[in-house]
């Protein structure tokens, strides 16, 4: 199997030096021979090497460099004199494109093209320049490179100044081959069903019937008393929940946080000018219910707000204990269930308010927010009409609700309750992956797993991207903590996990050698 990564180990750099010698000393007489049969590039410390493997054998490479002057600048002068201002916005130079003779096939070129495309997009380059040997002119053109200046060099080692822009690559044959890939994102979810009812008005009887079926299924799964469908994100659902705490004048409350989304709830509550105290737990650490109980004994609180599934760390906070705690002190429990609803079965019958969305575990399109409640809300003029839960509980649909999104949710909900078992099986498969000894937390729920990457895995997120395997790692809070996450909710999980298992098996041998 061919796969790519960024070179980072001493053994990889030694293999690169040998391949550099084989290609640019023995095959292309660009440099003088030496007894070590290794050639370390003069820009080695500035290069980023993308390498291609067959199993655990390094068989090809390409080097990126964006520090000026480029080597091609030294040969033809500044490349800007030949290029447009748009092309030069963020330039890089590609050098040392080399593949072992025995592996010069279309499949290897495909992998290198794939890695080149992914890395360039990752870094935001607008174009890449290269001094391409005339012997491989056809190969460069297949990738999408175009000559932009006269040929240079000697008779035995003639080179073409060539350029590859994003637009050129997207129009090339190779781009058509490398599109696609697999994602392990915790949302949005790929859709395999057609979009229906895109022209159906939310004022029709047909829509009313559809809406009734969806809300009934949501109430059945949640055991909540009421549910409202709002066009928007999970953040909006939480605004509606917080707006109700404000509108109903519930008094002083307490917010529990142990991750990014708990912190986000706190910031939203501050904007609503709610009266509350905060209990902060270290990220990824379970709530200390003994100390919370002690705090509640000393104070007078009317409501408690927490995140059930803290996506930022993969922690699942104990909903049952939250219910018991709030019952003991006659408090109203409000819960963000955005990442857990649909991932595992649980009851919201004892929650005063709870939130969820369409585009997470249940596998539907993003765009609908669900607000569950224990009681019918009282209308309020103190909050915006769109965030007033009472408006959604009056019987008629108060605002435009896309029938296509509602129908998409209905189709997704048909997979329940069997989907709970499917997600658990997928999650168990994740736990068997190579590198799982790096796992971060023990409090998981069957939607995603969070890894804290040590130094040896510092490039894992990018390396997987080079192979069209997209894991969750771009969010600020994940980057700051060196976290990557893999979710089980995508429809092509079974195909994706096979590819991931193969690569991680080889990857582990390389980085831990």
């Amino acid at each position: 199997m061919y796969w790519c990564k960024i070179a980072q180990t001493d053994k990889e750099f030694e293999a690169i030096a040998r391949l550099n010698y084989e290609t640019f000393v023995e095959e292309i007489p660009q440099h003088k021979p030496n007894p070590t049969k290794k050639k370390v590039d003069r820009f080695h410390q500035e290069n980023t090497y993308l390498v291609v493997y067959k199993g655990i054998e390094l068989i090809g490479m390409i080097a990126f460099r964006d520090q000026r002057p480029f080597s091609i600048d030294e040969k033809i002068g500044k490349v800007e004199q030949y290029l447009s201002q748009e092309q030069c916005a963020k330039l890089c130079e590609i050098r040392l494109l080399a593949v072992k003779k025995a592996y010069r096939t279309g499949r290897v070129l495909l992998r290198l093209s794939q890695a080149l495309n992914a890395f360039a997009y990752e870094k935001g380059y607008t174009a890449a320049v290269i001094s391409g040997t005339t012997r491989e002119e056809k190969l460069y053109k297949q990738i999408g490179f175009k000559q932009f200046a006269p040929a240079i060099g000697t008779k035995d080692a003639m080179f073409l100044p060539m350029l590859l822009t994003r637009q050129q690559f997207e129009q090339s044959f190779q781009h058509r081959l490398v599109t696609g890939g697999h994602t392990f994102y915790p949302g949005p979810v790929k859709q395999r069903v057609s979009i229906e009812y895109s022209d159906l008005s939310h004022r029709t009887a047909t829509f009313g019937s559809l809406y009734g079926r969806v809300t009934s299924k949501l109430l059945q799964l949640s055991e909540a008393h009421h549910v409202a469908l709002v066009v928007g994100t999970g953040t909006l659902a939480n605004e509606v929940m917080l707006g109700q705490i404000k509108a109903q004048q519930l008094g002083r409350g307490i917010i529990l946080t142990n991750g990014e989304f708990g912190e986000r709830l706190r910031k939203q509550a501050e904007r609503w000018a709610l009266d509350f105290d905060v209990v902060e737990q270290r990220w990824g650490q379970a709530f200390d219910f003994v100390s919370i109980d002690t705090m509640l004994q000393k104070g007078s609180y009317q409501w408690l707000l927490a995140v059930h599934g803290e996506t930022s760390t993969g922690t699942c906070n104990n909903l049952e204990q939250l219910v018991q705690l709030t019952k003991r002190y006659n408090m109203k429990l409000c819960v963000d269930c955005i990442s857990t609803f649909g991932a595992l079965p649980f009851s919201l019958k004892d929650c005063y308010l709870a939130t969820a969305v369409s585009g997470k575990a249940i596998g539907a399109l993003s765009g609908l927010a669900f607000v569950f409640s224990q009681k019918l809300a009282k209308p309020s003029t103190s909050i915006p009409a769109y965030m007033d839960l009472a408006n959604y509980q009056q019987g008629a649909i108060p605002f435009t609700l896309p029938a296509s999104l509602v129908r998409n949710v209905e189709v997704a909900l048909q997979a329940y309750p069997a989907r709970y078992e499917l997600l658990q099986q997928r999650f168990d498969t994740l736990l068997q992956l190579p590198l799982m000894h790096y796992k971060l937390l023990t409090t998981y729920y069957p939607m995603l797993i969070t890894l804290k990457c040590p130094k040896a895995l510092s490039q894992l997120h990018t390396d997987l991207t080079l192979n069209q395997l997209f894991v969750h790692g771009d969010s600020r809070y994940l980057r700051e903590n060196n976290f990557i996450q893999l979710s089980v909710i995508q429809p092509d999980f079974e195909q994706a996990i096979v590819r991931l298992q193969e690569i991680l098996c080889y990857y582990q041998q390389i980085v831990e050698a």
Side-chain angles (χ1 to χ4, degrees):
M1 182 189 74
Y2 299 113
W3 61 284
C4 297
K5 72 181 294 290
I6 294 176
Q8 62 183 116
T9 70
D10 291 340
K11 286 187 177 181
E12 286 177 313
F13 293 133
E14 184 176 342
I16 286 170
R18 288 196 297 269
L19 180 57
N20 200 15
Y21 187 91
E22 291 172 13
T23 305
F24 299 105
V25 176
E26 295 180 338
E27 184 177 355
I28 303 174
Q30 190 175 348
H31 304 285
K32 293 181 180 180
N34 66 67
T36 68
K37 291 190 176 296
K38 298 176 186 177
K39 178 70 176 75
V40 177
D41 184 62
R42 62 190 176 113
F43 297 119
H44 176 73
Q45 297 302 322
E46 300 173 1
N47 289 340
T48 297
Y49 296 96
L50 307 186
V51 292
V52 60
Y53 280 88
K54 182 175 182 11
I56 59 172
E57 179 187 2
L58 193 154
I59 62 168
M61 68 179 184
I62 196 168
F64 276 83
R65 178 172 170 266
D66 57 14
Q67 297 187 38
R68 305 298 290 271
F70 293 150
S71 63
I72 195 173
D73 290 328
E74 299 171 354
K75 298 172 183 175
I76 66 173
K78 286 190 175 182
V79 297
E80 283 83 354
Q81 64 184 306
Y82 298 98
L83 306 175
S84 70
Q85 185 175 355
E86 181 182 4
Q87 292 169 334
C88 297
K90 188 175 181 181
L91 279 175
C92 68
E93 182 177 40
I94 295 176
R95 305 177 59 251
L96 310 180
L97 174 57
V99 178
K100 289 184 177 181
K101 287 184 179 180
Y103 297 102
R104 290 176 185 171
T105 67
R107 292 175 62 194
V108 176
L109 175 60
L110 175 64
R111 293 299 174 212
L112 279 174
S113 299
Q114 184 180 66
L116 185 157
N117 178 46
F119 187 82
Y121 272 90
E122 180 85 9
K123 297 297 182 182
Y125 294 121
T126 54
V129 292
I130 189 171
S131 298
T133 171
T134 53
R135 305 182 188 197
E136 300 293 346
E137 181 179 359
K138 183 179 179 181
L139 180 150
Y140 300 130
K141 288 183 176 179
Q142 275 189 314
I143 296 175
F145 280 96
K146 291 185 178 180
Q147 185 176 348
F148 68 87
I152 50 175
T154 65
K155 181 180 179 181
D156 292 331
M158 187 68 70
F159 295 90
L160 302 173
M162 304 186 83
L163 177 78
L164 177 66
T165 66
R166 286 187 179 185
Q167 183 179 11
Q168 288 166 353
F169 184 79
E170 288 170 355
Q171 293 174 348
S172 71
F173 173 71
Q174 289 302 319
H175 177 262
R176 293 194 294 274
L177 293 178
V178 302
T179 53
H182 299 292
T183 69
F184 290 89
Y185 297 148
V189 182
K190 292 180 182 178
Q191 299 299 301
R192 287 181 164 176
V193 298
S194 59
I195 303 302
E196 302 177 89
Y197 299 168
S198 59
D199 59 346
L200 179 63
S201 169
H202 64 291
R203 301 299 185 194
T204 64
T206 301
F207 178 85
S209 178
L210 170 65
Y211 183 83
R213 295 195 301 271
V214 170
T215 54
S216 293
K217 184 69 172 182
L218 289 172
L219 293 175
Q220 176 189 343
L221 291 176
S222 66
E223 296 186 345
H225 296 188
H226 308 281
V227 63
L229 272 60
V230 185
V231 179
T233 65
T235 301
L236 178 64
N238 285 339
E239 295 286 6
V240 174
M241 177 167 61
L242 292 164
Q244 278 303 293
I245 296 174
K246 180 76 171 182
Q248 305 306 329
Q249 300 180 349
L250 297 185
R252 188 168 184 78
I254 184 170
I255 298 178
L256 311 182
T257 74
N258 61 349
E260 170 70 18
F261 291 93
E263 292 297 324
R264 185 178 298 185
L265 272 179
R266 174 170 70 172
K267 292 175 183 177
Q268 289 177 271
E270 288 172 349
R271 286 176 174 267
W272 281 99
L274 296 178
D275 183 15
F276 64 93
D277 289 329
V278 179
V279 174
E280 293 186 58
Q281 208 77 45
R282 185 172 58 85
W283 278 38
Q285 189 175 53
F287 293 137
D288 182 349
F289 285 96
V290 174
S291 63
I292 296 171
D293 190 288
T294 301
M295 181 178 179
L296 294 178
Q297 291 176 24
K298 297 177 180 179
S300 177
Y301 300 98
Q302 284 69 52
W303 54 272
L304 184 148
L305 176 62
V307 175
H308 186 203
E310 180 54 73
T311 315
S312 62
T313 61
T315 303
C316 187
N317 293 312
N318 194 312
L319 181 60
E320 185 176 337
Q321 284 188 278
L322 289 171
V323 168
Q324 292 173 358
L325 193 66
T326 51
K327 280 186 174 181
R328 187 179 309 141
Y329 292 96
N330 195 29
M331 299 167 64
K332 291 179 169 58
L333 176 60
C334 304
V335 188
D336 172 342
C337 299
I338 288 166
S339 288
T340 49
F341 186 75
L344 69 166
F346 55 87
S347 174
L348 296 176
K349 65 181 180 181
D350 294 313
C351 297
Y352 182 73
L353 293 165
T355 57
V357 291
S358 58
K360 295 283 188 178
I362 68 171
L365 281 167
S366 299
L368 287 183
F370 312 138
V371 182
F372 300 96
S373 58
Q374 205 173 47
K375 296 181 179 180
L376 290 174
K378 298 177 182 179
S380 173
T381 57
S382 64
I383 58 176
Y386 198 72
M387 297 182 189
D388 188 353
L389 185 60
N391 281 334
Y392 298 90
Q393 299 176 334
Q394 301 293 323
I397 308 299
F399 310 108
T400 300
L401 197 57
S404 55
L405 291 181
V406 180
R407 170 57 180 168
N408 184 257
V409 169
E410 181 184 35
V411 173
L413 291 176
Q414 290 171 2
Y416 286 89
R419 183 169 168 82
Y420 291 132
E421 183 178 351
L422 172 66
L423 295 183
Q424 182 64 58
Q425 291 172 351
R426 289 176 170 183
F427 185 77
D428 293 341
T429 302
L430 271 188
L431 293 177
Q432 301 306 313
L433 283 175
L435 307 180
M436 278 301 115
H437 55 286
Y438 290 118
K439 66 185 180 183
L440 173 68
L441 302 170
T442 55
T443 311
Y444 297 107
Y445 59 104
M447 177 183 165
L448 79 165
I449 193 167
T450 305
L451 303 178
K452 185 174 179 63
C453 295
K455 186 176 180 180
L457 300 183
S458 61
Q459 297 290 346
L460 179 59
H461 176 245
T462 300
D463 290 340
L464 291 177
T465 299
L466 299 183
N467 295 278
Q468 300 291 90
L469 291 169
F470 304 103
V471 301
H472 195 217
D474 293 316
S475 295
R476 172 195 52 79
Y477 58 86
L478 295 177
R479 293 197 307 270
E480 289 176 353
N481 291 282
N482 296 319
F483 291 169
I484 63 169
Q485 296 180 323
L486 296 95
S487 175
V488 301
I489 65 176
Q490 299 294 339
D492 59 347
F493 177 86
E494 282 70 26
Q495 295 77 39
I497 197 68
V498 171
R499 173 75 175 162
L500 181 63
Q501 285 171 327
E502 290 179 325
I503 288 180
L504 288 184
C505 182
Y506 294 128
Y507 196 91
Q508 187 174 25
Q509 296 179 65
I510 299 298
V511 300
E512 296 183 349

